[in-house]
Amino acid sequence: RGTFGSGALRFWGELFMPTKDDVSRMEFRSILDDAEFKVMPGMTMRASGAFDLEGPIKDLLLRGNIEISKLEYWKNLELKIDNFLPKKGKTLTVPKFVSSQTISVDVHAEAKDSILFQSDQLEALFSASVDFRGSTDSLGMVGTLTPTRGQVEYRDLVFRLDRGDITSTEEYRI
């Protein structure tokens, strides 16, 4: 048990050491209870949910469900056409685990009107229903990100978002 930001984190598990013909196994469960933490610079998240890390030591699976009650991202950006349509696209980098072992991933995340992106010229609120699948070496996402409101200010103009969806039907493409 412990605190994680302003919420609670509980975890427990077992490690099964092999007998002569068995394989080492792990069963580890963690529960987030309204835990708030910094995901990366400019991004904070509050969430509840449960995760299981289980399986043979050489073939672990991380699976779970998470309910995001707040995800806020602040980035200072300038609205220039080059920022939105770069000449050379950069590949999205996924943080690497220090471990040399690859872990399979199957995690579902839900967020109801709780994902907020902000900058000095942009504000957008989203709902989401996404699945993260793959492995720690190659993580993909499938699901929908739905803006519920949004506004962009550019010079003397104000653009308001009425509706839309961002859907990922293939794990590595939007």
Side-chain angles (χ1 to χ4, degrees):
R1 288 182 182 264
T3 57
F4 202 66
S6 60
L9 170 66
R10 296 187 313 267
F11 53 93
W12 60 91
E14 296 178 313
L15 178 62
F16 301 97
M17 300 305 290
T19 58
K20 185 177 178 183
D21 296 323
D22 289 336
V23 176
S24 295
R25 288 186 51 77
M26 178 189 299
E27 292 180 8
F28 181 80
R29 182 163 185 96
S30 61
I31 295 178
L32 297 174
D33 185 11
D34 205 29
E36 185 167 338
F37 49 97
K38 187 175 186 176
V39 178
M40 60 187 218
M43 183 182 287
T44 58
M45 182 168 79
R46 177 179 293 276
S48 297
F51 296 97
D52 295 308
L53 181 62
E54 60 188 20
I57 297 295
K58 293 186 178 183
D59 189 25
L60 291 172
L61 168 65
L62 175 66
R63 63 185 171 114
N65 290 294
I66 187 168
E67 179 72 30
I68 299 168
S69 57
K70 179 183 88 170
L71 189 143
E72 293 180 348
Y73 180 61
W74 168 263
K75 174 133 178 117
N76 189 14
L77 67 100
E78 292 183 38
L79 293 179
K80 293 181 183 177
I81 194 68
D82 291 340
N83 290 348
F84 294 100
L85 301 171
K87 294 182 178 152
K88 289 186 177 182
K90 290 184 177 180
T91 304
L92 178 65
T93 55
V94 176
K96 287 270 191 186
F97 283 86
V98 176
S99 171
S100 61
Q101 179 179 350
T102 298
I103 299 172
S104 297
V105 176
D106 184 9
V107 174
H108 178 75
E110 287 283 334
K112 178 73 174 145
D113 296 335
S114 56
I115 300 174
L116 180 64
F117 292 109
Q118 292 180 304
S119 76
D120 50 348
Q121 297 171 308
L122 167 109
E123 181 174 301
L125 184 67
F126 294 87
S127 291
S129 179
V130 294
D131 292 311
F132 296 95
R133 299 182 188 146
S135 70
T136 52
D137 283 343
S138 182
L139 189 61
M141 184 187 83
V142 175
T144 303
L145 189 64
T146 304
T148 53
R149 69 175 165 84
Q151 179 173 301
V152 175
E153 295 177 17
Y154 182 69
R155 296 186 181 171
D156 294 334
L157 301 172
V158 176
F159 300 92
R160 287 188 178 80
L161 177 65
D162 289 327
R163 65 184 176 273
D165 280 323
I166 302 169
T167 303
S168 173
T169 56
E170 295 180 43
E171 291 178 359
Y172 306 103
R173 301 178 108 168
I174 295 176

